[in-house]
Amino acid sequence: MRADNNKTVISETEEAAGPAIPADEIEKLARQIGESLGEKHAKPIRQIAIMIEKCGWAFVTKIMAETEAAEAAGGLLTQDKKRRRSKGGVFFFLAKGRMDPTMRAEIFPNFGKHGDGAIMPPGIDWAERASHMEALREQPGQINNLTVTLIGRPGALHIEGSSVMTVIEQREVKAPPYPKGVPPFDAVPDVTKYFVFMGLRHWLKVEKPLENEDDMLVVEGSAIYDSQLGGITVLSTGVSTKALESQKRQKGSQPAKMSAGRAAKAGNSARVPALSAEPPDLSSLPEETADKLRQLFSAAEKLRHKIDSMEDKGQNSGLAMTRRLLEQTEKQISTLMKQYKL
């Protein structure tokens, strides 16, 4: 059904349907609405059918009319304000907002952070963050341990004895796919300087690979604000490059000839085969699914860095658990990608 004749179909069906619509007619109407919205997958069509059955045809036609009006006015942006919602995304967003919470939880059981069907309220505005944080300065918490991972190209080096120092700048920070509740922002134009201290032994391991200008230095360590230097000092505990980590993952993904138990005892348990570090194009997915995939890809990348660092330092405590977490995360990614044929 095309958008331009949608109102005619709705009007005629509403008059003929009466108080109860036969199941086969509900399925037909759901497919027509789905076609008008550009929704082709079985799941959204099924959700539309349930909405017709549970909420009534009048409710669905009202949401459809509001969707057409929103599209004519320029559409609606996604929660992070990064892109315009698809027409189907506008329809479901409006429908969820108009539903009774009990009904919403029944039709969309995974909607809302806690799965209770409640609409998540908008978070704070990025421009207002300072006024909120100023009051919180009086009652700060305490950090017991802080670990950061820095990825980039090193600057000029100063090598003295067993110490290696460099300065790396972060310019015009752009917002990655943060979860809902973290305020979205377009970009932060300020320059942040990171003063990196590495051990010579670690640096010599990455010096040759970094001759390739496309490769990236990966530094993991503790971070402190250095008032004397006027920036953040990173005291590294592990140093690698993106290329070296990729080689490790490829080597670790080869089939193991020994059992998992024997491999673990030998300190050489099989690594999880790595998926692509970057998520594919997710613009065609429902907003919640796209957000979930972005978070999973980010979590998997962090776990890979953690595993590489633990192996470099010969740290076995917690290594098996971290590998299991990575395996579970990549299984979730694979399941979602297969479900949506990515």
Side-chain angles (χ1 to χ4, degrees):
M1 180 182 64
R2 294 183 180 179
D4 55 3
N5 63 10
N6 178 57
K7 293 182 179 179
T8 302
V9 174
I10 288 176
S11 177
E12 292 174 353
T13 307
E14 190 169 19
E15 292 177 1
I21 305 177
D24 59 342
E25 186 68 14
I26 288 178
E27 185 176 344
K28 179 181 177 182
L29 292 170
R31 287 198 301 270
Q32 290 178 334
I33 292 291
E35 183 180 345
S36 178
L37 296 171
E39 297 289 350
K40 300 178 181 179
H41 295 294
K43 183 177 179 180
I45 301 300
R46 185 170 64 252
Q47 290 172 328
I48 294 170
I50 296 173
M51 287 171 58
I52 296 172
E53 179 185 0
K54 301 288 186 180
C55 303
W57 179 243
F59 173 84
V60 175
T61 57
K62 180 181 179 182
I63 298 301
M64 193 64 196
E66 292 181 7
T67 300
E68 297 287 0
E71 286 290 286
L76 300 178
L77 294 178
T78 55
Q79 181 75 17
D80 60 7
K81 300 180 182 179
K82 293 291 183 182
R83 61 180 176 84
R84 178 176 169 175
R85 294 177 191 268
S86 66
K87 188 175 181 181
V90 172
F91 175 84
F92 285 112
F93 175 78
L94 294 174
K96 292 170 185 177
R98 302 290 189 274
M99 284 183 189
D100 174 86
T102 302
M103 184 64 68
R104 185 168 56 241
E106 182 177 349
I107 300 175
F108 305 99
N110 296 322
F111 183 70
K113 184 177 179 180
H114 302 292
D116 56 4
I119 288 209
M120 295 296 290
I124 67 166
D125 189 285
W126 176 257
E128 300 175 357
R129 68 194 186 283
S131 60
H132 297 295
M133 284 294 185
E134 191 62 36
L136 300 177
R137 289 177 184 268
E138 303 300 322
Q139 294 180 301
Q142 295 293 323
I143 293 177
N144 292 330
N145 182 46
L146 173 64
T147 301
V148 298
T149 301
L150 184 154
I151 302 175
R153 292 289 300 179
L157 300 173
H158 175 76
I159 300 177
E160 185 172 324
S162 60
S163 298
V164 179
M165 292 159 275
T166 188
V167 180
I168 302 178
E169 293 182 342
Q170 185 178 30
R171 305 184 184 95
E172 196 179 28
V173 180
K174 295 183 178 180
Y178 289 119
K180 291 180 180 179
V182 178
F185 59 92
D186 292 331
V188 175
D190 300 333
V191 174
T192 304
K193 293 184 182 294
Y194 292 82
F195 303 93
V196 181
F197 292 80
M198 299 172 281
L200 180 60
R201 180 174 60 87
H202 281 166
W203 170 254
L204 293 176
K205 183 178 64 175
V206 301
E207 185 176 23
K208 185 68 175 178
L210 286 174
E211 290 179 1
N212 178 1
E213 294 184 357
D214 293 329
D215 202 358
M216 292 287 175
L217 175 69
V218 180
V219 177
E220 186 177 77
S222 300
I224 59 171
Y225 179 75
D226 194 323
S227 58
Q228 184 174 351
L229 294 176
I232 299 172
T233 289
V234 178
L235 307 171
S236 68
T237 55
V239 179
S240 185
T241 75
K242 296 286 285 185
L244 288 174
E245 292 185 358
S246 177
Q247 291 171 12
K248 285 184 179 180
R249 287 194 290 271
Q250 290 173 5
K251 185 177 180 180
S253 66
Q254 296 174 357
K257 295 183 179 180
M258 62 178 72
S259 68
R262 289 176 60 197
K265 289 180 181 179
N268 189 32
S269 58
R271 294 287 306 278
V272 180
L275 296 171
S276 170
E278 297 295 333
D281 181 13
L282 308 178
S283 59
S284 62
L285 300 185
E287 181 186 353
E288 294 173 18
T289 303
D291 285 344
K292 179 67 174 177
L293 266 173
R294 291 188 189 100
Q295 292 171 29
L296 287 171
F297 269 98
S298 177
E301 185 68 4
K302 290 178 181 178
L303 287 168
R304 293 187 196 108
H305 288 314
K306 185 174 182 180
I307 289 171
D308 289 331
S309 176
M310 294 171 78
E311 289 180 339
D312 285 343
K313 293 181 283 189
Q315 180 181 339
N316 292 322
S317 177
L319 182 58
M321 176 60 73
T322 307
R323 284 177 175 149
R324 284 197 294 271
L325 288 173
L326 176 58
E327 183 178 7
Q328 293 169 3
T329 302
E330 293 200 330
K331 281 183 178 178
Q332 292 182 64
I333 293 173
S334 296
T335 299
L336 285 171
M337 292 180 69
K338 288 178 181 178
Q339 180 181 347
Y340 289 93
K341 299 180 181 179
L342 295 176

